[in-house]
Coordinates of all heavy atoms in Angstrom, one line a residue:
M1 N 0.9 4.4 -14.6 CA -0.2 4.5 -13.7 C 0.1 3.7 -12.5 O 0.7 2.6 -12.5 CB -1.4 3.9 -14.4 CG -2.6 3.8 -13.5 SD -4.1 4.4 -14.4 CE -5.1 4.6 -13.0
P2 N -0.1 4.2 -11.3 CA 0.2 3.5 -10.1 C -0.6 2.2 -9.9 O -1.7 2.1 -10.4 CB -0.3 4.5 -9.0 CG -0.4 5.8 -9.6 CD -0.7 5.6 -11.1
K3 N 0.1 1.3 -9.3 CA -0.5 0.0 -9.1 C -0.9 -0.1 -7.6 O -0.2 0.3 -6.7 CB 0.5 -1.2 -9.4 CG 1.1 -1.1 -10.8 CD 0.2 -1.9 -11.7 CE 1.0 -2.0 -13.0 NZ 0.2 -2.5 -14.1
G4 N -2.1 -0.7 -7.3 CA -2.5 -0.9 -6.0 C -1.7 -2.0 -5.3 O -1.4 -3.0 -5.9
V5 N -1.3 -1.8 -4.1 CA -0.6 -2.8 -3.3 C -1.4 -3.2 -2.1 O -2.1 -2.3 -1.5 CB 0.8 -2.4 -2.9 CG1 1.7 -2.2 -4.1 CG2 0.8 -1.1 -2.1
D6 N -1.3 -4.4 -1.7 CA -2.1 -5.0 -0.6 C -1.4 -4.7 0.7 O -0.2 -4.5 0.7 CB -2.4 -6.5 -0.9 CG -3.5 -7.0 0.0 OD1 -4.4 -6.2 0.4 OD2 -3.5 -8.2 0.3
T7 N -2.1 -4.9 1.8 CA -1.6 -4.7 3.1 C -0.4 -5.5 3.4 O 0.6 -5.0 3.9 CB -2.7 -5.1 4.1 OG1 -3.9 -4.3 3.8 CG2 -2.3 -4.7 5.6
N8 N -0.4 -6.8 3.0 CA 0.8 -7.6 3.3 C 2.1 -7.1 2.6 O 3.2 -7.3 3.2 CB 0.5 -9.1 2.9 CG 0.2 -9.3 1.4 OD1 -0.2 -8.4 0.8 ND2 0.5 -10.5 0.9
I9 N 1.9 -6.5 1.5 CA 3.1 -6.0 0.8 C 3.7 -4.8 1.6 O 4.9 -4.7 1.8 CB 2.8 -5.5 -0.6 CG1 2.3 -6.6 -1.5 CG2 4.0 -4.8 -1.3 CD1 3.3 -7.8 -1.7
L10 N 2.9 -4.0 2.2 CA 3.4 -2.9 3.0 C 4.0 -3.4 4.3 O 5.0 -2.9 4.7 CB 2.2 -1.9 3.4 CG 1.6 -1.2 2.2 CD1 0.5 -0.3 2.7 CD2 2.7 -0.3 1.5
I11 N 3.5 -4.4 4.9 CA 4.0 -5.0 6.1 C 5.4 -5.7 5.8 O 6.3 -5.5 6.6 CB 3.0 -6.1 6.7 CG1 1.8 -5.3 7.2 CG2 3.7 -6.8 7.8 CD1 0.6 -6.2 7.6
L12 N 5.5 -6.4 4.7 CA 6.7 -7.1 4.4 C 7.7 -6.3 3.5 O 8.7 -6.8 3.1 CB 6.4 -8.4 3.7 CG 5.4 -9.3 4.5 CD1 5.0 -10.5 3.7 CD2 6.1 -9.8 5.8
R13 N 7.3 -5.1 3.1 CA 8.1 -4.3 2.1 C 9.6 -4.2 2.4 O 10.4 -4.2 1.5 CB 7.5 -3.0 2.0 CG 8.1 -2.2 0.8 CD 7.3 -1.0 0.4 NE 7.0 -0.1 1.5 CZ 6.6 1.2 1.3 NH1 6.5 1.6 0.0 NH2 6.3 1.9 2.3
A14 N 10.0 -4.1 3.7 CA 11.4 -4.0 4.1 C 12.2 -5.2 3.6 O 13.4 -5.0 3.2 CB 11.5 -3.8 5.6
G15 N 11.6 -6.3 3.5 CA 12.3 -7.5 3.0 C 12.1 -7.9 1.5 O 12.6 -8.9 1.1
I16 N 11.4 -7.0 0.8 CA 11.2 -7.2 -0.6 C 12.2 -6.4 -1.4 O 12.4 -5.2 -1.2 CB 9.7 -6.8 -1.0 CG1 8.7 -7.7 -0.2 CG2 9.5 -6.9 -2.5 CD1 7.3 -7.3 -0.4
D17 N 12.7 -7.0 -2.4 CA 13.6 -6.2 -3.4 C 12.8 -5.1 -4.0 O 11.8 -5.4 -4.7 CB 14.2 -7.2 -4.4 CG 15.1 -6.6 -5.4 OD1 15.3 -5.4 -5.4 OD2 15.7 -7.4 -6.2
P18 N 13.3 -3.9 -3.9 CA 12.6 -2.8 -4.5 C 12.3 -3.0 -6.0 O 11.3 -2.4 -6.6 CB 13.4 -1.6 -4.3 CG 14.3 -1.9 -3.1 CD 14.4 -3.4 -3.2
N19 N 13.2 -3.7 -6.7 CA 13.0 -3.9 -8.1 C 11.8 -4.8 -8.4 O 11.3 -4.9 -9.6 CB 14.3 -4.6 -8.7 CG 15.4 -3.6 -8.7 OD1 15.3 -2.4 -8.9 ND2 16.6 -4.1 -8.4
E20 N 11.3 -5.5 -7.4 CA 10.1 -6.4 -7.6 C 8.8 -5.6 -7.4 O 7.7 -6.1 -7.6 CB 10.2 -7.6 -6.6 CG 11.3 -8.5 -6.9 CD 11.3 -9.7 -6.0 OE1 10.3 -10.1 -5.4 OE2 12.4 -10.3 -5.8
L21 N 8.9 -4.4 -6.9 CA 7.7 -3.6 -6.6 C 7.5 -2.6 -7.8 O 8.4 -2.3 -8.5 CB 7.9 -2.7 -5.3 CG 8.1 -3.5 -4.1 CD1 8.5 -2.6 -2.9 CD2 6.8 -4.3 -3.7
P22 N 6.2 -2.2 -8.0 CA 5.9 -1.3 -9.1 C 6.6 0.0 -8.8 O 6.9 0.4 -7.7 CB 4.4 -1.1 -8.9 CG 3.9 -2.2 -8.1 CD 5.0 -2.6 -7.2
D23 N 6.9 0.8 -9.9 CA 7.6 2.1 -9.7 C 6.7 3.0 -9.0 O 7.1 3.8 -8.2 CB 7.9 2.6 -11.1 CG 9.1 1.8 -11.8 OD1 9.9 1.2 -11.0 OD2 9.1 1.8 -13.0
E24 N 5.4 3.0 -9.3 CA 4.4 3.9 -8.6 C 3.3 2.9 -8.0 O 2.8 2.1 -8.6 CB 3.7 4.8 -9.6 CG 4.6 5.8 -10.3 CD 3.8 6.7 -11.2 OE1 2.8 7.3 -10.8 OE2 4.2 6.8 -12.4
M25 N 3.1 3.2 -6.7 CA 2.1 2.4 -5.9 C 1.0 3.2 -5.3 O 1.3 4.4 -5.1 CB 2.8 1.6 -4.8 CG 3.9 0.7 -5.3 SD 4.7 -0.3 -3.9 CE 5.7 1.0 -3.1
M26 N -0.1 2.6 -5.1 CA -1.2 3.3 -4.4 C -1.8 2.3 -3.4 O -1.7 1.1 -3.6 CB -2.2 4.0 -5.3 CG -3.0 3.0 -6.1 SD -4.1 3.9 -7.2 CE -4.6 2.6 -8.3
I27 N -2.5 2.8 -2.4 CA -3.2 1.9 -1.5 C -4.6 2.4 -1.3 O -4.9 3.5 -1.6 CB -2.5 1.9 -0.1 CG1 -2.5 3.2 0.6 CG2 -1.1 1.3 -0.2 CD1 -2.0 3.2 2.0
S28 N -5.5 1.4 -0.9 CA -6.9 1.7 -0.7 C -7.1 2.1 0.7 O -6.3 2.0 1.6 CB -7.7 0.5 -1.1 OG -7.5 -0.5 -0.1
A29 N -8.3 2.7 1.0 CA -8.7 3.0 2.3 C -8.8 1.8 3.2 O -8.6 1.8 4.4 CB -10.1 3.8 2.3
I30 N -9.2 0.7 2.6 CA -9.3 -0.6 3.3 C -7.9 -1.0 3.8 O -7.7 -1.5 4.9 CB -9.8 -1.7 2.4 CG1 -11.3 -1.4 2.1 CG2 -9.7 -3.1 3.0 CD1 -11.9 -2.2 1.0
T31 N -6.8 -0.8 3.0 CA -5.5 -1.1 3.4 C -5.1 -0.3 4.6 O -4.5 -0.8 5.6 CB -4.5 -1.0 2.3 OG1 -4.8 -1.9 1.2 CG2 -3.0 -1.2 2.7
T32 N -5.4 1.0 4.6 CA -5.1 1.9 5.7 C -5.9 1.4 6.9 O -5.3 1.4 8.0 CB -5.5 3.3 5.4 OG1 -4.8 3.7 4.2 CG2 -5.1 4.3 6.5
A33 N -7.1 1.1 6.8 CA -7.9 0.6 7.9 C -7.3 -0.7 8.5 O -7.3 -0.9 9.7 CB -9.3 0.3 7.5
E34 N -6.9 -1.6 7.6 CA -6.3 -2.9 8.1 C -5.0 -2.6 8.9 O -4.7 -3.2 9.9 CB -6.0 -3.8 7.0 CG -7.2 -4.4 6.4 CD -7.0 -5.2 5.1 OE1 -6.0 -5.1 4.5 OE2 -7.9 -6.0 4.8
L35 N -4.2 -1.7 8.4 CA -2.9 -1.3 9.1 C -3.3 -0.7 10.5 O -2.6 -1.0 11.5 CB -2.1 -0.4 8.3 CG -1.4 -1.0 7.1 CD1 -0.8 0.1 6.2 CD2 -0.5 -2.1 7.4
S36 N -4.3 0.1 10.5 CA -4.8 0.7 11.8 C -5.3 -0.3 12.8 O -5.0 -0.3 14.0 CB -5.9 1.8 11.5 OG -5.4 2.8 10.7
A37 N -6.0 -1.3 12.3 CA -6.5 -2.3 13.1 C -5.4 -3.2 13.7 O -5.4 -3.6 14.8 CB -7.5 -3.2 12.3
G38 N -4.3 -3.3 12.9 CA -3.1 -4.1 13.3 C -2.5 -3.4 14.5 O -2.0 -4.0 15.4
V39 N -2.4 -2.1 14.5 CA -1.9 -1.3 15.6 C -2.7 -1.6 16.9 O -2.1 -1.9 17.9 CB -1.9 0.2 15.3 CG1 -1.5 1.0 16.5 CG2 -0.9 0.5 14.2
L40 N -4.0 -1.6 16.8 CA -4.9 -1.8 17.9 C -4.8 -3.3 18.4 O -5.0 -3.5 19.6 CB -6.3 -1.5 17.5 CG -6.6 -0.1 17.2 CD1 -8.0 0.1 16.7 CD2 -6.3 0.8 18.3
A41 N -4.4 -4.2 17.6 CA -4.3 -5.6 18.0 C -2.9 -6.0 18.5 O -2.7 -7.2 18.9 CB -4.7 -6.5 16.8
A42 N -2.0 -5.1 18.5 CA -0.7 -5.4 19.0 C -0.7 -5.9 20.4 O -1.5 -5.4 21.2 CB 0.3 -4.2 18.9
T43 N 0.1 -6.9 20.8 CA 0.1 -7.5 22.1 C 1.3 -7.2 22.9 O 1.4 -7.6 24.1 CB -0.1 -9.0 22.0 OG1 1.0 -9.6 21.2 CG2 -1.4 -9.4 21.4
S44 N 2.3 -6.5 22.4 CA 3.5 -6.1 23.1 C 3.9 -4.7 22.7 O 3.5 -4.2 21.6 CB 4.6 -7.1 22.9 OG 5.1 -7.0 21.6
A45 N 4.7 -4.1 23.4 CA 5.2 -2.7 23.1 C 6.1 -2.8 21.8 O 6.0 -1.9 21.0 CB 6.0 -2.2 24.3
Q46 N 6.8 -3.8 21.7 CA 7.7 -3.9 20.5 C 6.8 -4.1 19.2 O 7.1 -3.5 18.2 CB 8.7 -5.1 20.6 CG 9.6 -5.3 19.4 CD 10.5 -6.5 19.6 OE1 10.5 -7.2 20.6 NE2 11.4 -6.6 18.6
E47 N 5.8 -4.9 19.3 CA 4.9 -5.2 18.2 C 4.1 -3.9 17.9 O 4.0 -3.5 16.7 CB 3.9 -6.3 18.5 CG 3.0 -6.7 17.4 CD 2.1 -7.9 17.8 OE1 1.8 -8.1 19.0 OE2 1.8 -8.6 16.9
L48 N 3.7 -3.2 18.9 CA 3.0 -1.9 18.7 C 3.9 -0.9 18.0 O 3.4 -0.3 17.0 CB 2.6 -1.3 20.1 CG 1.9 0.0 20.1 CD1 0.6 0.0 19.3 CD2 1.8 0.6 21.5
A49 N 5.1 -0.8 18.4 CA 6.0 0.2 17.7 C 6.3 -0.2 16.3 O 6.3 0.7 15.4 CB 7.4 0.2 18.5
Q50 N 6.4 -1.5 16.0 CA 6.7 -1.9 14.6 C 5.4 -1.6 13.8 O 5.6 -1.1 12.7 CB 7.0 -3.4 14.6 CG 7.2 -4.0 13.3 CD 7.5 -5.5 13.3 OE1 7.3 -6.2 14.3 NE2 8.0 -6.0 12.2
R51 N 4.3 -2.0 14.3 CA 3.0 -1.8 13.5 C 2.7 -0.3 13.3 O 2.3 0.1 12.3 CB 1.9 -2.5 14.2 CG 2.0 -4.0 14.1 CD 0.9 -4.7 14.8 NE 1.0 -6.1 14.7 CZ 0.0 -7.0 14.7 NH1 -1.2 -6.5 14.9 NH2 0.2 -8.3 14.6
M52 N 3.0 0.5 14.3 CA 2.8 1.9 14.2 C 3.7 2.5 13.2 O 3.3 3.4 12.4 CB 3.0 2.6 15.6 CG 2.7 4.1 15.6 SD 1.0 4.5 15.2 CE 0.3 4.2 16.7
K53 N 5.0 2.1 13.1 CA 5.9 2.6 12.1 C 5.4 2.3 10.7 O 5.5 3.1 9.9 CB 7.3 2.0 12.4 CG 8.4 2.4 11.4 CD 9.7 1.8 11.7 CE 10.7 2.2 10.7 NZ 12.0 1.6 10.9
I54 N 4.9 1.1 10.5 CA 4.4 0.7 9.2 C 3.3 1.6 8.8 O 3.2 2.1 7.7 CB 4.1 -0.8 9.2 CG1 5.4 -1.7 9.3 CG2 3.3 -1.2 7.9 CD1 5.1 -3.1 9.5
L55 N 2.3 1.8 9.8 CA 1.2 2.6 9.5 C 1.5 4.0 9.2 O 1.1 4.6 8.2 CB 0.2 2.6 10.7 CG -1.0 3.5 10.6 CD1 -1.9 3.2 9.4 CD2 -1.8 3.5 11.9
Q56 N 2.4 4.6 10.0 CA 2.8 6.0 9.8 C 3.6 6.2 8.5 O 3.4 7.2 7.8 CB 3.6 6.5 11.0 CG 2.7 6.7 12.3 CD 3.6 7.1 13.5 OE1 4.7 6.8 13.6 NE2 2.9 7.6 14.5
T57 N 4.4 5.2 8.2 CA 5.1 5.3 6.9 C 4.2 5.3 5.7 O 4.3 6.1 4.8 CB 6.2 4.2 6.8 OG1 7.1 4.3 7.9 CG2 6.9 4.2 5.5
A58 N 3.2 4.4 5.8 CA 2.2 4.3 4.7 C 1.4 5.6 4.6 O 1.1 6.1 3.5 CB 1.3 3.1 4.9
E59 N 0.9 6.1 5.8 CA 0.1 7.3 5.8 C 0.9 8.5 5.2 O 0.4 9.3 4.4 CB -0.3 7.7 7.2 CG -1.4 6.7 7.6 CD -1.8 7.0 9.1 OE1 -1.1 7.6 9.8 OE2 -3.0 6.7 9.4
A60 N 2.2 8.6 5.5 CA 3.1 9.7 5.0 C 3.3 9.5 3.5 O 3.4 10.5 2.8 CB 4.4 9.7 5.8
E61 N 3.6 8.3 3.1 CA 3.9 8.1 1.7 C 2.7 8.1 0.8 O 2.9 8.6 -0.3 CB 4.6 6.7 1.6 CG 5.1 6.4 0.2 CD 6.0 5.1 0.2 OE1 6.3 4.6 1.2 OE2 6.2 4.7 -0.9
F62 N 1.6 7.6 1.2 CA 0.5 7.5 0.3 C -0.7 8.4 0.5 O -1.6 8.5 -0.2 CB -0.1 6.0 0.4 CG 0.9 5.0 -0.1 CD1 1.6 4.2 0.8 CD2 1.0 4.8 -1.4 CE1 2.5 3.3 0.4 CE2 1.9 3.8 -1.9 CZ 2.7 3.1 -1.0
N63 N -0.6 9.3 1.5 CA -1.7 10.2 1.8 C -1.6 11.4 0.9 O -0.9 12.4 1.2 CB -1.7 10.6 3.3 CG -3.0 11.3 3.7 OD1 -4.0 11.4 2.9 ND2 -3.0 12.0 4.8
R64 N -2.3 11.3 -0.2 CA -2.2 12.4 -1.2 C -3.6 13.0 -1.4 O -4.6 12.3 -1.2 CB -1.7 11.9 -2.5 CG -0.3 11.3 -2.4 CD 0.8 12.3 -2.2 NE 2.1 11.8 -2.3 CZ 2.8 11.5 -1.2 NH1 2.4 11.7 0.0 NH2 4.1 11.0 -1.4
S65 N -3.7 14.1 -2.0 CA -5.0 14.8 -2.3 C -5.7 13.9 -3.3 O -5.1 13.6 -4.4 CB -4.7 16.2 -2.9 OG -5.9 16.7 -3.4
P66 N -7.0 13.6 -3.1 CA -7.7 12.8 -4.1 C -7.8 13.5 -5.4 O -8.0 12.8 -6.4 CB -9.1 12.7 -3.5 CG -8.9 13.0 -2.0 CD -7.7 13.9 -1.9
S67 N -7.7 14.8 -5.5 CA -7.8 15.5 -6.8 C -6.6 15.3 -7.7 O -6.6 15.5 -8.8 CB -8.1 17.0 -6.6 OG -7.0 17.6 -5.9
T68 N -5.4 14.9 -7.0 CA -4.2 14.8 -7.8 C -3.7 13.4 -7.9 O -2.7 13.1 -8.6 CB -3.1 15.6 -7.2 OG1 -2.8 15.2 -5.9 CG2 -3.4 17.1 -7.2
T69 N -4.4 12.4 -7.3 CA -3.9 11.0 -7.3 C -5.0 10.1 -7.8 O -6.1 10.2 -7.5 CB -3.6 10.6 -5.8 OG1 -2.7 11.5 -5.2 CG2 -3.1 9.2 -5.8
P70 N -4.6 9.2 -8.8 CA -5.6 8.3 -9.3 C -6.2 7.4 -8.2 O -5.4 7.1 -7.2 CB -4.8 7.4 -10.3 CG -3.5 8.2 -10.5 CD -3.3 9.1 -9.4
Q71 N -7.4 7.1 -8.3 CA -8.1 6.3 -7.2 C -8.3 4.9 -7.7 O -8.5 4.7 -8.9 CB -9.4 7.0 -6.8 CG -9.3 8.4 -6.3 CD -8.4 8.5 -5.1 OE1 -8.8 7.9 -4.1 NE2 -7.4 9.3 -5.1
L72 N -8.4 4.0 -6.7 CA -8.7 2.6 -7.1 C -10.2 2.6 -7.4 O -11.0 3.5 -7.1 CB -8.5 1.7 -5.9 CG -7.1 1.4 -5.5 CD1 -7.0 0.6 -4.2 CD2 -6.4 0.7 -6.6
P73 N -10.6 1.6 -8.2 CA -12.1 1.5 -8.6 C -12.9 1.5 -7.3 O -12.5 1.1 -6.2 CB -12.1 0.1 -9.3 CG -10.8 -0.2 -9.7 CD -9.9 0.5 -8.7
N74 N -14.2 1.8 -7.5 CA -15.2 1.8 -6.4 C -15.2 0.5 -5.7 O -15.4 -0.5 -6.4 CB -16.5 2.3 -6.9 CG -17.6 2.4 -5.8 OD1 -17.4 1.9 -4.7 ND2 -18.7 3.0 -6.1
T75 N -15.1 0.4 -4.4 CA -15.1 -0.8 -3.6 C -16.3 -0.8 -2.7 O -16.2 -1.3 -1.6 CB -13.8 -1.0 -2.9 OG1 -13.6 0.1 -2.0 CG2 -12.6 -1.3 -3.8
A76 N -17.4 -0.2 -3.1 CA -18.6 0.0 -2.2 C -19.1 -1.3 -1.8 O -19.7 -1.4 -0.7 CB -19.6 0.8 -3.0
N77 N -19.0 -2.4 -2.5 CA -19.5 -3.7 -2.1 C -18.6 -4.6 -1.4 O -18.9 -5.7 -1.0 CB -20.1 -4.4 -3.3 CG -21.3 -3.7 -3.9 OD1 -22.1 -3.2 -3.1 ND2 -21.5 -3.7 -5.2
C78 N -17.3 -4.1 -1.1 CA -16.4 -4.9 -0.4 C -16.9 -5.2 1.0 O -17.3 -4.4 1.7 CB -15.1 -4.1 -0.2 SG -13.9 -4.6 -1.5
G79 N -16.8 -6.5 1.4 CA -17.1 -6.9 2.7 C -18.6 -7.1 2.9 O -19.0 -7.4 4.0
R80 N -19.4 -6.9 1.9 CA -20.8 -7.1 2.0 C -21.2 -8.5 1.6 O -20.6 -9.1 0.7 CB -21.6 -6.1 1.1 CG -21.5 -4.7 1.6 CD -22.3 -3.8 0.8 NE -22.2 -2.4 1.3 CZ -22.7 -1.4 0.7 NH1 -23.5 -1.5 -0.4 NH2 -22.5 -0.2 1.1
P81 N -22.2 -9.0 2.3 CA -22.6 -10.4 1.9 C -23.0 -10.4 0.4 O -23.6 -9.5 -0.1 CB -23.9 -10.6 2.8 CG -23.7 -9.7 3.9 CD -23.0 -8.5 3.4
S82 N -22.7 -11.5 -0.3 CA -22.9 -11.5 -1.7 C -24.1 -12.4 -2.1 O -24.4 -12.5 -3.3 CB -21.6 -11.9 -2.4 OG -21.2 -13.2 -1.9
S83 N -24.6 -13.2 -1.2 CA -25.7 -14.1 -1.5 C -26.9 -13.8 -0.6 O -26.7 -13.4 0.6 CB -25.3 -15.5 -1.5 OG -25.1 -15.9 -0.1
P84 N -28.1 -14.2 -1.0 CA -29.3 -14.1 -0.1 C -29.1 -14.8 1.2 O -29.4 -14.4 2.3 CB -30.4 -14.6 -0.9 CG -30.0 -14.5 -2.3 CD -28.5 -14.6 -2.3
R85 N -28.5 -16.1 1.1 CA -28.2 -16.8 2.3 C -27.3 -16.1 3.3 O -27.5 -16.1 4.5 CB -27.6 -18.2 1.9 CG -27.4 -19.1 3.1 CD -26.9 -20.4 2.6 NE -26.6 -21.2 3.8 CZ -25.8 -22.2 3.8 NH1 -25.2 -22.7 2.7 NH2 -25.6 -22.9 4.9
A86 N -26.2 -15.5 2.7 CA -25.3 -14.7 3.6 C -26.0 -13.5 4.2 O -25.8 -13.2 5.4 CB -24.1 -14.3 2.8
V87 N -26.9 -12.9 3.5 CA -27.6 -11.8 4.1 C -28.5 -12.2 5.2 O -28.6 -11.6 6.3 CB -28.5 -11.1 2.9 CG1 -29.4 -10.0 3.6 CG2 -27.5 -10.4 1.9
N88 N -29.2 -13.3 5.0 CA -30.1 -13.9 6.0 C -29.3 -14.3 7.2 O -29.7 -14.1 8.4 CB -30.9 -15.0 5.5 CG -32.0 -14.6 4.5 OD1 -32.5 -13.4 4.6 ND2 -32.4 -15.4 3.6
H89 N -28.2 -14.9 7.0 CA -27.3 -15.3 8.1 C -26.8 -14.2 8.9 O -26.9 -14.1 10.2 CB -26.1 -16.2 7.6 CG -25.2 -16.6 8.7 ND1 -25.6 -17.6 9.6 CD2 -24.0 -16.2 9.1 CE1 -24.6 -17.8 10.4 NE2 -23.6 -16.9 10.1
A90 N -26.5 -13.1 8.2 CA -26.0 -11.9 8.9 C -27.1 -11.2 9.7 O -26.9 -10.8 10.8 CB -25.5 -10.9 7.9
R91 N -28.3 -11.3 9.3 CA -29.5 -10.7 10.0 C -29.8 -11.5 11.2 O -30.3 -11.0 12.2 CB -30.7 -10.7 9.1 CG -30.6 -9.6 8.0 CD -31.9 -9.6 7.2 NE -31.8 -8.7 6.1 CZ -32.4 -8.8 4.9 NH1 -33.2 -9.8 4.8 NH2 -32.2 -8.0 4.0
E92 N -29.5 -12.9 11.2 CA -29.9 -13.7 12.3 C -28.9 -13.6 13.5 O -29.1 -14.1 14.6 CB -29.9 -15.2 11.8 CG -31.0 -15.4 10.8 CD -30.9 -16.7 10.1 OE1 -30.0 -17.5 10.5 OE2 -31.8 -17.0 9.3
Q93 N -27.7 -13.0 13.2 CA -26.7 -12.9 14.2 C -27.1 -12.0 15.3 O -27.6 -10.9 15.1 CB -25.3 -12.5 13.6 CG -24.8 -13.5 12.6 CD -24.6 -14.9 13.2 OE1 -24.0 -15.0 14.3 NE2 -25.1 -15.9 12.6
P94 N -26.9 -12.4 16.6 CA -27.2 -11.4 17.7 C -26.3 -10.2 17.7 O -25.2 -10.3 17.3 CB -27.0 -12.3 19.0 CG -26.1 -13.4 18.6 CD -26.4 -13.6 17.1
T95 N -26.8 -9.1 18.1 CA -26.0 -7.9 18.1 C -25.6 -7.5 19.5 O -26.2 -8.0 20.5 CB -26.8 -6.7 17.5 OG1 -28.0 -6.6 18.1 CG2 -26.9 -6.9 16.0

């Protein structure tokens, strides 16, 4: 069964011994979004090119049909406030 890998593994993968990585890997939509945000945050042409290469490689390697690829567990609550205090604080923030 494929193992989920985090964004930092994809970024640093060129320097990681392939024997240390799972034989089958998968990534979440959050990982793809983080890689995309990294492209937008690049501050130089060289950094942009490097981040774009990582993103495009990940998209090409991991973009499979949901009907044929096992999915990570539901992450619907990822990034949501987890306590009433956090919810109230989020509501008080100016928009």
Side-chain angles (χ1 to χ4, degrees):
M1 173 134 199
K3 303 272 186 186
V5 292
D6 197 28
T7 308
N8 63 331
I9 299 300
L10 295 177
I11 293 169
L12 302 172
R13 186 164 56 164
I16 298 174
D17 180 355
N19 294 323
E20 294 181 25
L21 296 172
D23 291 333
E24 294 183 54
M25 299 182 288
M26 64 182 171
I27 61 173
S28 69
I30 294 170
T31 297
T32 304
E34 289 174 340
L35 291 172
S36 297
V39 170
L40 297 174
T43 58
S44 70
Q46 181 179 3
E47 185 178 28
L48 175 66
Q50 180 182 14
R51 290 178 181 207
M52 183 62 78
K53 180 180 179 183
I54 292 168
L55 172 62
Q56 290 176 337
T57 300
E59 288 176 336
E61 185 174 349
F62 294 102
N63 191 14
R64 304 286 188 256
S65 169
S67 62
T68 61
T69 304
Q71 301 297 305
L72 288 176
N74 184 345
T75 56
N77 291 323
C78 261
R80 293 186 181 174
S82 57
S83 71
R85 182 176 177 202
V87 170
N88 289 333
H89 180 73
R91 287 183 186 149
E92 294 168 3
Q93 297 301 311
T95 54

